[in-house]
Amino acid sequence: MMDFINYAWPVLQIIGINIVLSGDNAVVIALACRSLPENQRNKAVIIGALAAVGLRIIFTFMTAQLLDLPWVKLIGGFLLFYIAIKLMIPEDEDPNITAHDTLWKAIQTIAIADIVMSLDNVIAIAAAAKGNWNLILLGLAISIPLVIFGSQIIMKMMHRFPWLVWAGAALLGYVAAEIMIEDPLIASYFKSAIMHYGALVVGVGIVMAAGFYLRRRKLSVTHA
């Protein structure tokens, strides 16, 4: 009985970590897939979520060794800023763009964002599993439907409440800033609460301002 408890408890911890830390990943999946046709949307969600989890397994092996190196989190944060702003810009409704191209563009966005956003996730999972890769793989496998289910709900809500797109982009801006200020190169400058939370507010503001400007410019060109 104790052996079962000792095995089951880390698995439950890993599942809990994924539920908490994969919320922003579900937002990315929903944002990236919201403009796809109905018949392509579910396929993109499933493939994107599976790719995200698969990449997370691979990067669990690699990321922990790289996190203490300067520039890694800074580069990841800049990349996530780019993704957050890009997701706010309406897609071109060009008949020459095939569903296949759009589908794979969404999957690529999901995969790249997950690489950046899974830095905290992979460390927490590895700590809960205490290096046991059987537990890590089992916990992640159980979490796959949780990520897919969460993104489906968020995507439906975004179609009903368009303002959620802005909220999702703001969340990504927050995560991007949080990742960047943890980089060893600049972390010492953000130890105070004022600097820490100020940077997070600035991160959200950058995404909102840039997204608003580019979105407005894109719409004005489209309707010109």
Side-chain angles (χ1 to χ4, degrees):
M1 183 66 179
M2 286 302 298
D3 289 341
F4 174 77
I5 293 175
N6 290 336
Y7 191 84
W9 177 240
V11 174
L12 292 175
Q13 284 182 304
I14 292 170
I15 294 172
I17 289 168
N18 271 282
I19 292 173
V20 173
L21 296 182
S22 293
D24 46 9
N25 298 79
V27 170
V28 170
I29 293 172
L31 283 168
C33 298
R34 73 186 190 279
S35 298
L36 291 175
E38 185 69 34
N39 63 329
Q40 296 287 324
R41 197 178 300 156
N42 292 336
K43 186 185 295 185
V45 169
I46 294 171
I47 296 175
L50 290 174
V53 174
L55 285 168
R56 189 167 300 176
I57 293 171
I58 295 171
F59 277 87
T60 301
F61 287 94
M62 300 172 58
T63 304
Q65 305 299 321
L66 300 174
L67 284 179
D68 292 332
L69 297 177
W71 295 103
V72 173
K73 290 186 177 181
L74 277 175
I75 294 171
F78 275 118
L79 184 58
L80 193 54
F81 270 127
Y82 170 77
I83 290 172
I85 294 169
K86 188 172 182 292
L87 288 172
M88 294 180 67
I89 303 172
E91 293 286 342
D92 289 320
E93 296 183 4
D94 187 343
N96 295 319
I97 299 177
T98 65
H100 174 82
D101 293 337
T102 309
L103 172 66
W104 284 106
K105 185 192 297 183
I107 293 172
Q108 288 168 12
T109 299
I110 294 166
I112 293 171
D114 192 79
I115 291 172
V116 176
M117 298 168 71
S118 62
L119 296 177
D120 56 349
N121 199 313
V122 296
I123 293 175
I125 290 172
K130 295 180 172 59
N132 187 327
W133 283 101
N134 290 328
L135 291 177
I136 292 173
L137 295 176
L138 177 61
L140 288 172
I142 295 173
S143 301
I144 291 173
L146 298 177
V147 177
I148 295 174
F149 184 66
S151 61
Q152 291 275 23
I153 292 176
I154 294 172
M155 188 161 45
K156 289 178 181 177
M157 291 180 65
M158 283 179 176
H159 277 276
R160 186 169 182 181
F161 307 107
W163 60 266
L164 288 175
V165 174
W166 291 81
L171 173 62
L172 298 185
Y174 178 95
V175 173
E178 191 172 43
I179 289 173
M180 293 179 71
I181 63 176
E182 291 175 355
D183 190 277
L185 200 66
I186 61 172
S188 60
Y189 297 103
F190 296 92
K191 289 184 177 180
S192 69
I194 294 177
M195 291 295 291
H196 180 88
Y197 291 107
L200 301 182
V201 172
V202 170
V204 173
I206 288 173
V207 171
M208 292 291 97
F212 177 79
Y213 171 74
L214 293 174
R215 183 184 180 91
R216 187 173 180 180
R217 190 175 73 172
K218 180 72 172 287
L219 291 173
S220 65
V221 171
T222 302
H223 296 297

